[in-house]
Structure formats: structure tokens, C-alpha cells
Amino acid sequence: MSKRPYPGWGPSQQAQQHYLVEPRHLAGGGDVRHITEFLRHSGWKDHSLRGGTPAFESPDRTVRVGYNPAGQPGGWTISGSAVPPTPEWHVSLTAQTPVEIVAGLTDALTRPRSAHAPNPWAPLEEQHWKTKRLQYHTFTATSPDNNAWLRYQQAMDGQAVWMAGARTEHGLTWQAVFSAETPMHLIQAFSTSLASPEPVMRPRGHVPPTRMVRTTSVSVLPHQLSAWQQTRINTARAAAWARNSWAASRPRTRAPRPGPHAGTRTGQSRFRR
């Protein structure tokens, strides 16, 4: 990864002009380190080449996250290996997808899955997104400003896909595509971040040129930026420490040694689940 300073992530001696941008789905891509630093401090393996594009792998080697703005179409790729009962899955998000929205999904990859049944539509409905059925097995939710959407579409042959995106007066801004096998709790994590009413911060010169966003100018001191960034890193570290501590404290079970009657029905019954 490039070590070039980015506003807010490097040392500075004076206040910097930033803007709070809303709605977040039109805020532009943002700083990729919002995602990569969280993954790194969550214990993910950094496979990025020096000066190259970011590439991370989960501790159990089942999920990979990469970013390549120069690709076609360019942006984020997130893929999961087949781990029964979950088959292989894939997500792609174009480069201008706001990092805070992408982080809704990537942060969820670092946390245990909730026991509750996921519902990707619920966070959108809570924030007054309009949901409707468009045609056969096609459902969509649209933001209050009509400029962002989440859609589920199932073809007649049974193939299904989830899609999301946003647009301005200049056309399509970003797009996300989720394979049908993408775990539903990850789609809900994405939709929760997508629907969040909280504005996101962008440095001067990084606010998209559109009349469809509202901005609030703020003057931010370097130590304030550092504190906010460190809080997010500390959250990742604490969660990683808790997971490792729990794993280390689990009692290790060993299979019993075969006894003199291991071949009998009584001996076999001890290994039944």
C-alpha cells in the first residue's frame, strides 16, 4: 500500500477544512484506510504488495478483500470460500462506493454472526426507504431522496442477485452486486450502513460536485482526527483480543483412546454425537 499521506491520516500542525456530507450514499469513495486499517487491526493478513493495491485475508483464510481502482469496473472485491453449509460467494463494489458503506459489510466479516434471522429490508424501512415489488420476484427499496436503492431480483430459472447503487444528476455514481450465495447477515450489515442517516466526513477537495448533497463546513484539528481514527482502530483491536482470548480459553477435547472393546457396539457408542 502507498505510504503517501492522506488528509487526516498524517501529521499536521494546523486545522484542516473538512465537510460533513449527507446523504452518505452520495459522498464519494473516501479514504480506503477506513476499511483496511480496521481489517489489519482485526487480525487480518495483509497481502498488499509494496506500493500496490490493498489485499487482505481473514485469519481463517476463508474470506478475501481487495481494492483495485484501476480494474474493470474497478473498486472493491470481496469473496468467500465454500465453507459448508455456505457455498462460495462474491461481492463487487465500484470505486466510488463510500467507504463507510462498504465498511458496514467488511466490519461484519470480523464479528461473530448474530443468532437472529437477518432481514436486509428492516434497516431500510426503519429509515423510511420506500419498498415495493416491481415485477415477478423483483423487490426494491429506494432512499427518501430517490437517489439510492437496494434490489433483489430472481430470474425464472431460479438464479438470484442482490444489487445496490446510487446516482446524481451526472448519472450512476456507484454500484454493488452480491452473488445469490452471499450470506444474508452480510447484506443486512451493508443495508444498515447504507440507510444510516449519519453524515460522513470528507476533506476539502474531496466532496463530489453535485447539487444533491448537503454539506456542513467544519474546521478539524489534527489531534481530533487522530482521536477519531484511533477509536476505530481500538475497537478492532479490542474485538480481536476478545476473540483470541475466548479461543485460547476453550477447553481442548481429545478423542478417547481405543479401549479393549473399541470394536464392540458399546465402544462405538462413545463416539456418537
Side-chain angles (χ1 to χ4, degrees):
M1 293 178 61
S2 173
K3 299 299 183 181
R4 183 180 60 173
Y6 186 94
W9 289 87
S12 179
Q13 300 300 319
Q14 60 183 2
Q16 300 172 348
Q17 196 70 25
H18 284 66
Y19 295 90
L20 297 176
V21 183
E22 53 184 328
R24 58 171 46 197
H25 52 257
L26 298 180
D31 186 354
V32 299
R33 281 171 289 187
H34 183 78
I35 294 170
T36 59
E37 289 301 306
F38 192 90
L39 294 177
R40 178 179 291 106
H41 292 282
S42 294
W44 284 48
K45 180 68 174 179
D46 186 354
H47 291 291
S48 310
L49 299 177
R50 182 179 297 276
T53 58
F56 285 80
E57 185 179 50
S58 62
D60 62 2
R61 298 184 176 183
T62 63
V63 183
R64 294 161 298 283
V65 175
Y67 178 76
N68 182 6
Q72 292 296 329
W76 297 94
T77 56
I78 306 168
S79 56
S81 303
V83 180
T86 303
E88 183 178 345
W89 55 273
H90 181 83
V91 180
S92 62
L93 310 100
T94 53
Q96 287 304 307
T97 310
V99 292
E100 295 83 0
I101 295 177
V102 180
L105 192 161
T106 54
D107 287 6
L109 290 169
T110 70
R111 299 190 296 262
R113 183 180 305 196
S114 171
H116 299 287
N119 179 4
W121 306 110
L124 304 170
E125 293 172 342
E126 290 173 4
Q127 296 301 327
H128 311 295
W129 284 46
K130 300 179 288 290
T131 58
K132 63 180 179 180
R133 179 173 178 172
L134 295 180
Q135 53 185 343
Y136 178 77
H137 285 178
T138 298
F139 302 87
T140 187
T142 308
S143 61
D145 66 354
N146 293 318
N147 291 322
W149 62 88
L150 177 69
R151 179 175 300 165
Y152 170 82
Q153 184 171 344
Q154 184 175 7
M156 296 295 292
D157 61 2
Q159 292 296 313
V161 66
W162 289 81
M163 296 175 288
R167 58 173 172 260
T168 67
E169 69 271 31
H170 306 299
L172 185 67
T173 300
W174 60 267
Q175 186 173 23
V177 179
F178 306 77
S179 69
E181 298 80 13
T182 305
M184 199 63 62
H185 75 285
L186 296 180
I187 298 177
Q188 179 177 346
F190 175 86
S191 70
T192 299
S193 185
L194 173 64
S196 173
E198 293 296 322
V200 296
M201 185 177 290
R202 294 291 183 266
R204 184 178 181 179
H206 291 260
V207 177
T210 171
R211 56 181 173 80
M212 294 183 176
V213 298
R214 301 179 297 278
T215 59
T216 302
S217 176
V218 291
S219 185
V220 183
L221 295 172
H223 76 271
Q224 292 176 309
L225 284 176
S226 297
W228 295 332
Q229 294 152 4
Q230 191 61 46
T231 296
R232 179 165 167 78
I233 288 174
N234 289 344
T235 299
R237 286 175 175 171
W241 179 87
R243 287 192 302 273
N244 293 337
S245 297
W246 179 82
S249 64
R250 291 182 64 188
R252 296 184 179 181
T253 57
R254 296 180 179 178
R257 294 180 178 179
H261 304 289
T264 67
R265 180 182 299 273
T266 302
Q268 293 174 346
S269 67
R270 289 185 293 174
F271 295 93
R272 294 178 180 173
R273 297 184 181 273

